[in-house]
Amino acid sequence: MGESKSGSVMVVGGGIAGIQASLDLSGLGYQVYLIEKAGSIGGVMAKLDKTFPTNDCAI
Amino acid sequence: MGNFAAKVRRQPRYIDLDLCTGCGICADYCPIVMGDAYRENLALTKAPHRDYVQAVPASFYIDPEKCLFHSHEMCRICVSACQARAINLYEQEEMLDLNVGAVILAPGFGRISEEVLSRYGYGRLADVVTGVEFELLTSASGPTMGNIIRPSDGEHPHGIAFLQCIGTRDVSCGNGYCSSVCCMYAIKEAIVAKEHAPDLESSIFYMDMRTQGKEFDYARQRAKEKGIRFVRSRVGGVQAKGKSLEISYVDEAGKHLKEDFDMVVLPEGLESPPAAQVLAEASGIELNHYDFCSTLPFSPLKTTRAGIFVAGAFQGPKDVPESVTDASGAAALAAEVLKEARGTEVEAKTYPAEIDIEGEPRIGVFVCSCGTNIGGVVDVQSVADYAATLDNVVYSDTNLYSCAQNTQEEITETIKENRLNRVVVAACTPRTHEPLFQETIKDAGLNRCLFEMANIRDHCSWVHAMVPEAATEKSKDLIRMAVAKARGLQPLPEQKLPVTQKALVIGGGIAGMTAALNVAGQGFECILVEESKALGGNLKRMRSTLTGDDPKQLFQDTETKIRSHPLIQVHTEASVEDVSGYVGNFITSIRTNGSSESVEHGVVVVATGGKPYEPTQYLYGKSGQVVTQGELEERLTKVEGAKGINDIVMIQCVGSRGEDLSYCSKVCCGQAVRNALKILEINPSAHITVLYRDMRTYGFMEDYYQLAREKGVMFIHFDKDDPPEVTEKEGSIQVEFLDKIMGERVVLEPDLLALSVGIVPSRSEALSKMLKTPLTSDGFFLEAHPKLRPVEFSVEGVYLCGLAHGPKPISESVAQATAAAGKACIPMAKGYVTVEPIVSFVDTATCIGCGICEALCPYSAIRMIKVGKRKKAETISASCKGCGICAAHCPSLSILMGGFTNEQILSQIKALMG
Amino acid sequence: MVRESFEPKIVGFLCNWCCYAAADSAGVARFQYPPNIRAIRIMCTGRMDPLFIISAFSVGADGVFVGG
């Protein structure tokens, strides 16, 4: 095609993985489109109270 | 690749993201009460809602399925209730066309179906709950505010049973794999429950306790010490028995037992995400036989389509740290593909030149009503009038919504018109809104540090709603204190320090090589330092993998790429002698063949690896019949290697989990299964017995474990306190152990005994000191945060991957190395590191050079330098986090904290009484 | 004789990352508590200098709360 590459990335899913990927991509100089089907990002981790093994707060 | 067209369907929220202030009045007025899906329907919510108060975006949205307007074309109460006029019930779905260079798929995981859960009484018995439901019951922000109660009668349960492997490691429901997280979250919930109610007795019924993650076995041990009971068993079913639940199970000795509990928790496994098929079709990628994303073991983040990457549980069931690692790795891979286009679609904002603020402070105070959030309680007009009477305040007024776009513009104009040189906004919390207002004053030509907030919403109107007069008085106090601080505010420069665009990777194993290749692939120079003569590390010794992929090929391919990459400089037989500097500007001395070379670089990736544990037990080294799994692996590369061995015994956890090494080495169970299968391939009639503590073939590895069992490999469990005994009699070895099912001690005389030895870290004390990166008690490097910052250190600019972090298989090392490389490229891609103006500043004129600050700084952000003949402290601004420990301990008061000077804080205190 | 109720004035030094955030969350959750505290935000309780506590009392504060 010979087209130039786009400087943006689409991230599908706004859980902890999607959020982290988006943050890193933006830090690396790319425009990010974060797509999430729910009303807010956070995914399952936002539902958790604590995390193993340190029992730190998950939010 | 590099150019994808994506179609995205955007569902309407019916509430404008930018206009909504999150006040919640719409929900107060909405007549529709519905189950709160976010809280697993254990609580109620309204049709307009947000999932939780900290939700991002913070705006509410309307569930059209329940909304009366959408179902019956009536009501619309919320529209008139909303003061911000943010609600539009006619909003339509939108189709977006996106052009993107790469795609990262991170759709997460799905939940086990209720049909499978119902086998354990779920749905039929009220006191059988899922793990996520139980998590909400223990959560302080959950529906019961952390009060653990039985759903059936609201009473406190005393005995709780956790049943493991629900909908996972279960071929009958199609999920043969291990979900890798349930053991951990069950233990966590049991511990949390015990903390809430000390009289609560939890029993965890499990097959293998798979706490193979870093530091996880310690948590399991702590759980045991706290009185959590672990029962190795298979559970048959759950029945109602009066008010309690009866569990029937088979214990290790094969005995059928029954036991009563008040509550049963099903910490269910993870399934492929519900959208897997649709997503696969839309994006043109393939799925594996469990409908998770199909990837290759040596490139775990690449889907079957170039330019599309995967992160998180869609790649395979996994915990938070691995998901976060994958995410950083996938971002790094996308960045590698798009390196030419970096920065092309992001714009840098420009600001007017900063105006001089010489002379008297001219303070402007903006008091926010926040709709009725503040104005409904606090008399904002009288507060604004009061503020106008304070010294140096030349402007004071109220705003309906200070954060609204139009108000921002008004504030900018007001600053210019009134020549304001300090701004106080009395509204919500600076933690969320300070950056926004700082931008606003920057637009008016003021340095962003000339700004202060008074939190009269979160800390006042919201929490003193019943006492409006007192809240108004408190608001006045808070504003007076903020104005007092504002008087002393000074502009602080926004420091930008240049970053040397070169990375140093320490360690040339698979992790180091992978990291170097990604760094170079993103267009940055990279120095790779390896201690030994050749690259490859442990990978060079590996001959086969469970999945049948060839480690030798991986090594050769990777080494060729490294050697031929113009941006990678390899130093073998080299070691790091000294490191100085900070993120962006490190200077490292590398010693090669007796001579030292000094290199400048911006970032460091630590990939110093580990090595196999060298056993002394079980007659290793004394009998030729005793080998390690690694040695057996080498032998099995040739068909002759398996000849003459018909009876093989393998012993797991040799040296690991409480012997010489206290941790689990994560890879040995997989190695044993792989060697067992390999032997059977060559010699199908071989008898193989594996003596194990817990078989930890997590994730899709479980398939191979099941295959080995089907092929007749005997797996026999032993306890830590009763390990097998190995003796030699007349030149041949004997292995004796307790077979619990038979209830007797068994003696085998194998031809070969293979020991599954763990992984020990490389000696890293010296490097740890040089980089100021701590080690765990086990000698592995300690990351910044076990869940959320798994490849970073608390020292900025230094990153971690591979066995140096902890034992792990190749695929996880590759993912982690890619992640570390991606993180390392962030400061290099920016080209500079910004220093927040809150950092400390040492006044060298008064500093006495005592060094207390240097010793106390948790971020190694202060160093002692020579000024003339005297020692003085100096802040390394790039590393400073602004905590102020140094300032509080400085005996000569020589340290200033940006925006939090002694004078500023003291003037706030002095303004307390008005 | 009716004794006037004592309404102390308390200065709170709250760490930006935890206690100040917690006070924000209390607001978001609409927890109601008495209006006697005036919060001063600091970036870490490591910043606490004994001077702050002494001067708070010297200007008339009835109590000092350090949260971090």
Side-chain angles (χ1 to χ4, degrees):
Chain A
M1 299 268 279
E3 278 176 68
S4 64
K5 287 177 179 174
S6 157
S8 55
V9 180
M10 176 169 75
V11 177
V12 183
I16 186 64
I19 293 173
Q20 186 62 56
S22 303
L23 288 172
D24 284 4
L25 282 165
S26 129
L28 288 165
Y30 300 91
Q31 171 77 34
V32 181
Y33 299 102
L34 176 56
I35 315 293
E36 166 59 50
K37 73 175 181 309
S40 52
I41 58 172
V44 179
M45 196 177 173
K47 283 194 185 193
L48 303 182
D49 178 34
K50 303 265 170 54
T51 58
F52 188 86
T54 52
N55 281 9
D56 272 3
C57 175
I59 251 186
Chain B
M1 196 158 77
N3 246 315
F4 294 96
K7 271 193 185 302
V8 178
R9 189 192 302 273
R10 175 148 75 185
Q11 304 292 342
R13 297 174 71 93
Y14 306 106
I15 299 184
D16 191 294
L17 274 178
D18 298 321
L19 295 177
C20 174
T21 63
C23 71
I25 287 175
C26 51
D28 292 344
Y29 281 86
C30 176
I32 295 297
V33 176
M34 56 184 271
D36 184 349
Y38 171 77
R39 288 178 184 77
E40 304 283 306
N41 293 317
L42 296 173
L44 297 171
T45 187
K46 295 289 193 74
H49 61 271
R50 60 180 165 190
D51 293 339
Y52 50 106
V53 287
Q54 301 91 339
V56 176
S59 88
F60 279 57
Y61 63 96
I62 292 174
D63 184 337
E65 296 211 347
K66 296 285 187 235
C67 169
L68 279 179
F69 176 76
H70 289 99
S71 52
H72 297 87
E73 293 207 18
M74 53 191 281
C75 183
R76 279 187 280 195
I77 291 172
C78 56
V79 178
S80 40
C82 178
Q83 295 175 330
R85 295 168 194 263
I87 301 181
N88 171 15
L89 295 174
Y90 298 96
E91 193 185 340
Q92 295 295 314
E93 159 183 312
E94 233 182 309
M95 286 303 292
L96 307 175
D97 286 303
L98 302 179
N99 275 307
V100 295
V103 178
I104 293 175
L105 301 177
F109 56 86
R111 302 279 285 270
I112 302 299
S113 72
E114 290 205 10
E115 187 249 311
V116 173
L117 299 178
S118 71
R119 297 180 198 168
Y120 305 91
Y122 183 79
R124 185 162 45 84
L125 306 168
D127 295 330
V128 178
V129 299
T130 67
V132 181
E133 287 168 351
F134 191 73
E135 177 105 16
L136 286 169
L137 288 178
T138 64
S139 167
S141 57
T144 59
M145 294 172 99
N147 200 3
I148 300 170
I149 50 166
R150 306 202 324 163
S152 64
D153 53 11
E155 280 182 25
H156 286 281
H158 294 289
I160 299 185
F162 289 81
L163 312 185
Q164 298 306 109
C165 300
I166 302 296
T168 186
R169 293 185 73 185
D170 180 356
V171 282
S172 75
C173 68
N175 297 345
Y177 57 86
C178 161
S179 290
S180 311
V181 301
C182 337
C183 285
M184 273 66 75
Y185 87 83
I187 295 176
K188 173 191 73 178
E189 289 179 359
I191 293 178
V192 172
K194 189 94 187 161
E195 283 167 359
H196 283 238
D199 63 326
L200 213 157
E201 304 288 339
S202 290
S203 303
I204 300 181
F205 292 84
Y206 71 102
M207 296 200 279
D208 294 283
M209 191 41 64
R210 292 186 171 168
T211 45
Q212 63 273 335
K214 188 173 177 178
E215 308 272 311
F216 285 9
D217 265 339
Y218 294 122
R220 178 205 182 175
Q221 197 52 41
R222 282 199 298 276
K224 217 169 173 179
E225 285 157 15
K226 285 190 180 195
I228 313 288
R229 176 173 158 236
F230 289 86
V231 189
R232 189 182 292 272
S233 58
R234 278 167 189 278
V235 171
V238 183
Q239 296 300 328
K241 188 180 167 195
K243 278 183 78 180
S244 36
L245 299 165
E246 183 186 71
I247 294 193
S248 49
Y249 64 99
V250 182
D251 76 356
E252 272 194 279
K255 253 196 265 165
H256 287 261
L257 297 164
K258 285 181 175 169
E259 201 173 326
D260 294 347
F261 292 91
D262 297 324
M263 204 167 165
V264 169
V265 181
L266 308 176
E268 81 267 51
L270 312 186
E271 213 160 60
S272 70
Q277 300 272 3
V278 177
L279 199 57
E281 209 161 291
S283 59
I285 60 151
E286 282 169 29
L287 301 176
N288 75 6
H289 59 295
Y290 289 125
D291 269 3
F292 284 86
C293 183
S294 171
T295 58
L296 296 172
F298 298 155
S299 53
L301 308 176
K302 293 181 180 169
T303 68
T304 48
R305 185 169 173 193
I308 301 186
F309 307 100
V310 60
F314 184 37
Q315 195 264 347
K318 66 185 63 175
D319 200 347
V320 175
E322 287 80 23
S323 295
V324 171
T325 302
D326 282 7
S328 293
L333 292 175
E336 192 176 343
V337 171
L338 302 177
K339 75 164 190 287
E340 303 91 339
R342 183 193 305 130
T344 53
E345 291 189 27
V346 282
E347 277 174 45
K349 205 187 156 193
T350 54
Y351 299 95
E354 275 184 21
I355 45 181
D356 196 359
I357 61 143
E358 282 288 298
E360 276 290 292
R362 293 178 62 80
I363 304 174
V365 179
F366 299 87
V367 183
C368 185
S369 300
C370 195
T372 54
N373 282 296
I374 298 171
V377 177
V378 172
D379 180 352
V380 285
Q381 192 55 52
S382 85
V383 170
D385 293 344
Y386 169 75
T389 67
L390 297 169
D391 286 350
N392 303 108
V393 173
V394 296
Y395 176 90
S396 176
D397 205 355
T398 61
N399 301 122
L400 184 58
Y401 288 109
S402 298
C403 58
Q405 183 62 39
N406 58 336
T407 320
Q408 300 286 296
E409 286 157 20
E410 281 167 32
I411 293 177
T412 312
E413 284 313 305
T414 310
I415 292 172
K416 288 180 187 162
E417 271 169 36
N418 295 279
R419 292 181 293 113
L420 302 178
N421 56 22
R422 308 283 191 290
V423 174
V424 172
V425 172
C428 48
T429 172
R431 297 183 67 257
T432 56
H433 280 68
E434 191 177 59
L436 175 77
F437 292 116
Q438 286 183 328
E439 283 288 295
T440 312
I441 74 164
K442 263 173 96 172
D443 283 332
L446 288 180
N447 180 282
R448 69 177 168 122
C449 296
L450 298 168
F451 176 78
E452 184 63 22
M453 271 186 103
N455 190 343
I456 61 167
R457 187 184 75 176
D458 307 40
H459 291 189
C460 190
S461 67
W462 273 353
V463 290
H464 311 313
M466 303 305 156
V467 282
E469 274 161 35
T472 302
E473 283 315 301
K474 178 171 175 178
S475 299
K476 289 179 184 172
D477 287 358
L478 290 173
I479 289 173
R480 188 172 61 245
M481 291 163 76
V483 166
K485 183 178 178 186
R487 270 185 214 114
L489 291 175
Q490 289 300 323
L492 296 170
E494 281 190 48
Q495 294 185 59
K496 280 188 182 179
L497 303 173
V499 169
T500 309
Q501 290 181 316
K502 192 189 271 189
L504 171 71
V505 177
I506 308 173
I510 185 61
M513 290 195 292
T514 306
L517 279 175
N518 182 266
V519 166
Q522 291 198 49
F524 302 105
E525 277 184 69
C526 184
I527 305 163
L528 180 60
V529 174
E530 164 59 37
E531 219 165 31
S532 66
K533 275 185 186 161
L535 295 174
N538 291 302
L539 180 64
K540 261 194 336 226
R541 279 196 291 273
M542 299 177 71
R543 294 291 172 261
S544 60
T545 62
L546 257 183
T547 45
D549 298 271
D550 183 4
K552 215 169 179 172
Q553 193 64 45
L554 172 68
F555 168 61
Q556 283 164 0
D557 293 351
T558 316
E559 198 199 15
T560 311
K561 281 187 213 155
I562 291 267
R563 296 282 182 191
S564 61
H565 205 297
L567 291 174
I568 300 176
Q569 210 188 94
V570 180
H571 295 254
T572 46
E573 287 180 279
S575 60
V576 171
E577 218 173 25
D578 182 53
V579 184
S580 63
Y582 49 87
V583 57
N585 296 280
F586 286 105
I587 300 171
T588 295
S589 160
I590 300 169
R591 191 165 188 85
T592 321
N593 290 329
S595 68
S596 293
E597 181 194 351
S598 174
V599 293
E600 288 182 18
H601 55 99
V603 290
V604 186
V605 176
V606 176
T608 46
K611 51 181 190 286
Y613 168 79
E614 281 175 26
T616 51
Q617 54 276 68
Y618 299 127
L619 300 181
Y620 181 78
K622 296 188 185 81
S623 163
Q625 283 171 286
V626 184
V627 296
T628 64
Q629 291 288 5
E631 288 159 352
L632 178 58
E633 179 180 343
E634 179 69 44
R635 242 165 113 161
L636 294 174
T637 52
K638 296 190 192 83
V639 175
E640 308 89 79
K643 273 212 178 124
I645 45 174
N646 291 311
D647 282 294
I648 300 103
V649 172
M650 297 180 177
I651 301 179
Q652 299 304 107
C653 298
V654 175
S656 296
R657 294 186 62 196
E659 285 197 41
D660 288 355
L661 318 174
S662 50
Y663 51 87
C664 165
S665 289
K666 217 176 175 183
V667 298
C668 342
C669 285
Q671 280 173 351
V673 169
R674 176 205 57 203
N675 283 349
L677 288 171
K678 193 90 187 174
I679 291 168
L680 290 175
E681 223 173 79
I682 303 170
N683 178 7
S685 61
H687 294 288
I688 306 173
T689 307
V690 180
L691 304 174
Y692 71 96
R693 302 255 308 272
D694 289 285
M695 278 311 284
R696 292 182 166 175
T697 43
Y698 58 96
F700 301 128
M701 260 197 278
E702 179 73 7
D703 283 354
Y704 298 94
Y705 173 43
Q706 289 310 328
L707 181 67
R709 289 166 63 113
E710 278 162 31
K711 290 198 170 189
V713 178
M714 295 290 295
F715 289 87
I716 297 173
H717 170 254
F718 70 88
D719 283 321
K720 183 187 166 192
D721 304 328
D722 186 17
E725 271 175 56
V726 180
T727 48
E728 194 168 18
K729 234 182 209 168
E730 291 148 23
S732 125
I733 52 165
Q734 289 192 340
V735 183
E736 188 186 325
F737 55 89
L738 175 71
D739 185 323
K740 290 181 186 166
I741 294 177
M742 314 251 287
E744 58 189 39
R745 295 195 80 80
V746 176
V747 180
L748 293 181
E749 287 186 27
D751 303 318
L752 193 75
L753 172 64
L755 306 180
S756 294
V757 295
I759 293 171
V760 291
S762 303
R763 288 194 65 85
S764 311
E765 289 80 5
L767 189 63
S768 150
K769 281 213 177 78
M770 280 187 255
L771 292 168
K772 303 185 184 77
T773 48
L775 299 175
T776 66
S777 56
D778 298 322
F780 294 101
F781 279 95
L782 178 65
E783 62 275 30
H785 189 282
K787 292 274 161 185
L788 299 176
R789 294 177 66 197
V791 300
E792 292 164 87
F793 284 108
S794 47
V795 176
E796 293 211 31
V798 190
Y799 310 89
L800 171 64
C801 58
L803 299 185
H805 161 272
K808 57 179 68 66
I810 297 177
S811 59
E812 288 171 39
S813 274
V814 168
Q816 208 183 19
T818 316
K823 285 283 184 198
C825 286
I826 292 175
M828 294 197 287
K830 277 198 177 132
Y832 60 86
V833 281
T834 37
V835 178
E836 280 294 309
I838 54 167
V839 297
S840 67
F841 172 80
V842 182
D843 183 352
T844 40
T846 55
C847 171
I848 55 170
C850 66
I852 290 176
C853 50
E854 186 200 24
L856 287 176
C857 178
Y859 306 101
S860 309
I862 291 193
R863 64 182 161 200
M864 303 307 292
I865 53 163
K866 276 242 156 134
V867 175
K869 284 190 178 161
R870 292 174 182 277
K871 244 175 48 165
K872 299 282 179 185
E874 184 184 64
T875 304
I876 304 166
S877 309
S879 306
C880 177
K881 304 277 184 203
C883 71
I885 290 174
C886 52
H889 288 84
C890 177
S892 60
L893 304 179
S894 304
I895 299 182
L896 299 180
M897 299 308 301
F900 294 89
T901 64
N902 277 353
E903 288 70 29
Q904 288 162 2
I905 295 174
L906 288 170
S907 60
Q908 251 176 308
I909 296 169
K910 284 183 187 132
L912 174 74
M913 302 306 279
Chain C
M1 198 179 82
V2 181
R3 200 176 146 220
E4 213 176 296
S5 70
F6 172 51
E7 288 295 340
K9 222 168 197 180
I10 300 165
V11 184
F13 293 95
L14 312 188
C15 163
N16 179 66
W17 307 107
C18 53
C19 197
Y20 195 95
D24 287 349
S25 298
V28 171
R30 309 296 200 276
F31 282 130
Q32 300 297 308
Y33 57 84
N36 301 65
I37 194 163
R38 308 287 181 264
I40 291 178
R41 183 169 70 116
I42 49 181
M43 292 312 282
C44 171
T45 42
R47 178 75 185 88
M48 278 313 290
D49 193 314
L51 189 62
F52 300 161
I53 299 172
I54 293 162
S55 54
F57 285 124
S58 81
V59 300
D62 300 298
V64 172
F65 171 83
V66 180

